[in-house]
Amino acid sequence: MGIRTGAQYIEGVKSRQPEVWLGGRKVTDVYNEDVFRQPIHEIANLYDIQNDPTYKDEITYLCEESGERYSHAFKVPKTYEDLKARSKLFEIWARATFGLMGRTPDFLNVTVTSMASNTWFLDQYNPEWSKNMINYYEYIRDHDLFLTHAIINPQNDRSKASHEQEEDFTHLGVVEERPDGIIVRGAKMLATLAPITDEVIIYSFPGFQPGDEKHAIAFALPIDTPGLRIICREPMQDGKRSVFDHPLASRYEEMDALLVFNDVFVPSDRIFINQNIEAANLLYPKTGIGQQPAHQSGVRGLIKLQFAAEVAARVADSIGVDGYLNVQTQLGELMQSVEAIRALLRVAEYEYETTSQGEVRPAGLPLETIRGMLPKLYPRAIEIIQTIGAGGLLMSPTGADFEHPELRADVEKYYVGREGISSQDRVQLFKLAWDLCGEAFGQRLLQYERYYSGDPLRRLGRFYAGFKRQNSFPLVDEALKGSRDLEGQPTI
Ligand SMILES: Cc1cc2nc3c(=O)[nH]c(=O)nc-3n(C[C@H](O)[C@H](O)[C@H](O)COP(=O)(O)OP(=O)(O)OC[C@H]3O[C@@H](n4cnc5c(N)ncnc54)[C@H](O)[C@@H]3O)c2cc1C
Ligand SMILES: O=C(O)Cc1ccc(O)c(O)c1
């Protein structure tokens, strides 16, 4: 079939009946649920963009073998140009949501592409698993599917392994093996956008310990598989808030959910890892499934940071405070943050690595540096918007106030900005800024940037340890040589 349109994606959503729970209620019609309506349309827009002649040739490719057109997310990058083509896809899609939606279809599509182009890894354990992975990749590519994923065990007792949790099968695991598949029970988190996706893929960040065998699994299923329950967090919007009052929150909320598997059957051909701790723990570090989606996160994160920086600058300009040195230094800091991430991204792409399988990946060091820096730079950007907007962020009247004949004159007078900025312009800008830096919606966006790639603290610690393994800090040896005499003795 090849690339889908927005309408085809929506048809898919309407055709399914996943078991979705929202605020103590079972959702019977996902498409017509207020909270999901706008996000569904934002995702549909992305599918439409790939059919738009302005972008089509840039972000999709014609496969010679099948004669079909697929998204660049499904092309295994073999050259720098392939990597750049992917980067363009990430950028065009991220711009469409200002980088505020992180788990758009490209994220997991590149992950699965990466799994399928590294089946040497699964082959070591079971050739059936790698065959299943290749078939699954072709299936989602041919149908252009949208996946959610849950790779973290629920946050119960982090000081204990999965098999040591108070109750058995709190963490997802295999309860029964059958000739034609496995039955799984337990929970996994944190499946962003789950209710409006086509499929779910389960794998794990490393961390399984001896005794966790039954939990060490990877598989994929249709999102409406019987027994799979999607428990949504409390929505931050009701789906009815006005675009004037909440220009971002009313459009880009990504729902997050806990997935509960109530004895769900996984057919053999959808199993990628079955009860193998080593395979489950090494899948992430040994294949490209860290680096390739991190490329998407880097490009998207850059757009989001740039957006936040622009909002800060426009807020400052609109109230005439960007001539003050303290405000200028904060804005300058933000512009430099954006430049730093942009430069790292370019280095990651330009200094790409080629694996022994011929797959091209963005360079690890600059990519990991982005992962380390964004969880600090984005919260700082939000803090700067809060600092510059100050009390004004809390003062905005509503769209309804503008429309009320008794109030109109007041709101048009008392909310004006510097010369040339009308009351409505300023209020709209401040509402947008508040969605980003004050609303629960904005706090989630911040939490996303901190945690989407795992715990940033442990990541940074691992980064240093890995850096040390590969670097002997030779400059210090060079410098120390200078303080020794010709016989190598210290000069005092
Ligand atoms: C908005 C949002 C969307 C997300 N979307 C997805 C998604 O779509 N799919 C998905 O699979 N995941 C998703 N994630 C989950 C994300 O992968 C996890 O939040 C992340 O891996 C961190 O795990 P945790 O939240 O369980 O934190 P924990 O691991 O429980 O950490 C909690 C705290 O304890 C500390 N801590 C815990 N264990 C240790 C340890 N061993 N040593 C030292 N300190 C420790 C941490 O530093 C942290 O401060 C999302 C997260 C967020 C916030
Ligand atoms: O390591 C990375 O940054 C890539 C990544 C992040 C979060 C995920 O959930 C995931 O599957 C992959």
XYZ file of all heavy atoms in Angstrom, residues 305 308-309 312 315 330-331 333-334 376-390 393 433-434 436-438 442-443 446 450:
259
model
N 13.002 23.607 21.272
C 13.824 24.593 21.973
C 13.809 25.917 21.222
O 13.714 26.993 21.834
C 15.257 24.051 22.088
C 16.217 24.842 22.970
C 15.759 24.828 24.432
C 17.632 24.269 22.885
N 10.561 27.624 21.918
C 10.540 28.231 23.256
C 11.381 29.513 23.259
O 10.985 30.531 23.854
C 11.056 27.243 24.298
N 12.520 29.471 22.577
C 13.393 30.654 22.530
C 12.683 31.799 21.811
O 12.743 32.959 22.247
C 14.701 30.304 21.821
N 10.042 33.324 24.071
C 10.655 34.202 25.083
C 11.005 35.559 24.465
O 10.732 36.616 25.054
C 11.908 33.534 25.664
N 7.856 37.591 23.700
C 7.240 38.103 24.939
C 8.009 39.337 25.399
O 7.424 40.383 25.699
C 7.223 37.003 26.033
C 6.965 37.605 27.415
C 6.155 35.950 25.716
N 19.518 36.754 29.177
C 18.714 35.515 29.214
C 18.334 35.079 27.805
O 18.387 33.890 27.462
C 17.454 35.720 30.046
C 17.743 35.900 31.529
C 16.468 36.115 32.324
O 15.725 35.180 32.557
N 16.211 37.339 32.709
N 17.960 36.046 26.981
C 17.576 35.700 25.606
C 18.800 35.235 24.815
O 18.734 34.275 24.046
C 16.904 36.897 24.927
C 15.549 37.273 25.525
C 15.016 38.558 24.896
C 14.539 36.141 25.330
N 21.355 33.756 26.026
C 21.636 32.392 26.490
C 20.776 31.376 25.729
O 21.246 30.326 25.286
C 21.340 32.330 27.999
C 21.551 30.989 28.639
C 21.027 30.965 30.082
O 20.977 32.039 30.743
O 20.671 29.864 30.546
N 19.503 31.743 25.540
C 18.593 30.837 24.830
C 18.990 30.660 23.369
O 18.977 29.542 22.842
C 17.168 31.391 24.877
C 16.338 31.001 26.072
C 14.909 31.466 25.885
C 16.353 29.489 26.228
N 18.374 19.803 30.419
C 18.687 21.001 31.219
C 18.308 22.269 30.454
O 17.805 23.224 31.030
C 20.181 21.038 31.536
C 20.615 19.958 32.491
C 22.117 19.999 32.689
C 22.667 18.595 32.792
N 23.997 18.376 32.314
N 18.559 22.260 29.143
C 18.320 23.484 28.365
C 16.831 23.798 28.229
O 16.433 24.964 28.254
C 18.958 23.366 26.969
C 20.486 23.225 26.937
C 20.993 23.184 25.495
C 21.153 24.368 27.687
N 16.013 22.752 28.044
C 14.584 23.035 27.860
C 13.946 23.584 29.144
O 13.286 24.643 29.093
C 13.833 21.816 27.309
C 12.405 22.180 26.990
C 12.100 22.937 25.861
C 11.369 21.836 27.854
C 10.802 23.337 25.590
C 10.066 22.236 27.590
C 9.794 22.981 26.460
O 8.504 23.383 26.200
N 14.158 22.951 30.314
C 13.612 23.558 31.545
C 14.119 24.987 31.760
O 13.391 25.847 32.250
C 14.108 22.621 32.654
C 14.312 21.312 31.976
C 14.760 21.643 30.580
N 15.361 25.241 31.384
C 15.906 26.605 31.525
C 15.148 27.568 30.591
O 14.829 28.698 30.992
C 17.405 26.579 31.187
C 18.074 27.922 31.179
C 18.236 28.513 32.574
N 18.858 29.842 32.513
C 18.449 30.896 33.187
N 17.435 30.811 34.024
N 19.058 32.051 33.071
N 14.834 27.110 29.390
C 14.086 27.967 28.461
C 12.726 28.318 29.060
O 12.268 29.469 28.985
C 13.911 27.253 27.113
N 12.114 27.333 29.691
C 10.793 27.564 30.308
C 10.914 28.548 31.465
O 10.095 29.455 31.628
C 10.191 26.198 30.765
C 9.904 25.324 29.533
C 8.941 26.369 31.609
C 9.103 25.990 28.438
N 11.977 28.382 32.243
C 12.209 29.299 33.370
C 12.398 30.738 32.853
O 11.902 31.703 33.460
C 13.468 28.846 34.129
C 13.714 29.619 35.401
C 15.035 29.219 36.077
O 15.933 28.670 35.414
O 15.149 29.490 37.280
N 13.073 30.864 31.734
C 13.310 32.208 31.184
C 11.992 32.831 30.707
O 11.735 34.014 30.939
C 14.396 32.159 30.077
C 15.765 31.883 30.726
C 14.433 33.466 29.274
C 16.917 31.692 29.756
N 11.144 32.039 30.077
C 9.824 32.582 29.671
C 9.059 33.045 30.913
O 8.484 34.138 30.944
C 8.995 31.535 28.889
C 9.699 31.129 27.589
C 7.586 32.081 28.574
C 9.011 30.015 26.825
N 9.103 32.216 31.965
C 8.389 32.588 33.209
C 8.952 33.875 33.800
O 8.218 34.736 34.293
C 8.519 31.454 34.246
C 7.740 30.204 33.892
C 8.133 29.008 34.754
O 9.195 28.975 35.353
N 7.271 28.000 34.788
N 10.282 34.000 33.749
C 10.940 35.156 34.362
C 10.653 36.438 33.589
O 10.401 37.490 34.179
C 12.474 34.920 34.401
O 12.704 33.661 34.995
C 13.182 35.998 35.188
N 10.692 36.331 32.263
C 10.498 37.544 31.456
C 9.015 37.928 31.408
O 8.660 39.100 31.506
C 11.074 37.351 30.031
C 12.597 37.163 30.112
C 10.732 38.560 29.151
C 13.268 36.869 28.788
N 8.144 36.926 31.282
C 6.698 37.220 31.225
C 6.176 37.707 32.571
O 5.219 38.467 32.649
N 6.792 37.203 33.639
C 6.476 37.605 35.018
C 4.960 37.629 35.288
O 4.243 36.731 34.833
C 7.137 38.948 35.323
N 1.969 36.983 32.730
C 1.535 35.654 32.263
C 0.240 35.230 32.949
O -0.501 34.394 32.444
C 2.638 34.617 32.545
C 3.884 34.734 31.663
C 5.032 33.919 32.252
C 3.575 34.261 30.244
N 2.430 31.640 25.475
C 3.563 31.478 26.395
C 3.133 30.726 27.657
O 3.850 29.859 28.162
C 4.150 32.841 26.757
N 1.925 31.030 28.141
C 1.460 30.373 29.383
C 1.176 28.891 29.150
O 1.468 28.054 30.001
C 0.228 31.094 29.922
C -0.258 30.520 31.219
C -1.440 29.876 31.437
C 0.442 30.517 32.474
N -1.531 29.475 32.751
C -0.381 29.848 33.412
C 1.679 31.007 32.888
C -0.008 29.662 34.740
C 2.052 30.813 34.226
C 1.219 30.149 35.136
N 2.825 27.053 27.313
C 4.145 26.422 27.273
C 4.812 26.377 28.646
O 5.472 25.409 28.987
C 5.029 27.236 26.306
C 6.127 26.509 25.537
C 5.584 25.317 24.778
C 6.806 27.483 24.567
N 4.615 27.444 29.456
C 5.428 27.513 30.684
C 4.616 27.396 31.976
O 5.210 27.270 33.046
C 6.248 28.802 30.699
S 5.284 30.270 31.107
N 3.284 27.414 31.868
C 2.512 27.403 33.108
C 1.499 26.276 33.190
O 1.405 25.581 34.204
N 2.112 22.332 29.608
C 3.514 22.748 29.490
C 4.412 21.999 30.462
O 5.572 21.713 30.151
N 3.886 21.682 31.651
C 4.689 20.928 32.616
C 4.950 19.517 32.101
O 6.020 18.954 32.302
C 3.989 20.873 33.984
C 3.811 22.236 34.617
C 5.098 23.054 34.619
O 6.137 22.576 35.059
N 5.048 24.269 34.098
N 7.696 19.624 29.648
C 8.981 19.739 30.341
C 9.430 18.364 30.867
O 10.576 17.956 30.699
C 8.812 20.735 31.474
C 10.061 21.270 32.136
C 9.796 22.696 32.587
C 10.440 20.439 33.314
N 12.750 15.936 30.044
C 13.650 15.383 31.053
C 13.785 13.866 30.914
O 14.862 13.323 31.070
C 13.094 15.649 32.460
C 13.319 17.025 32.966
C 13.411 17.000 34.500
N 13.640 18.346 34.991
C 12.701 19.112 35.519
N 11.476 18.675 35.657
N 12.991 20.316 35.942
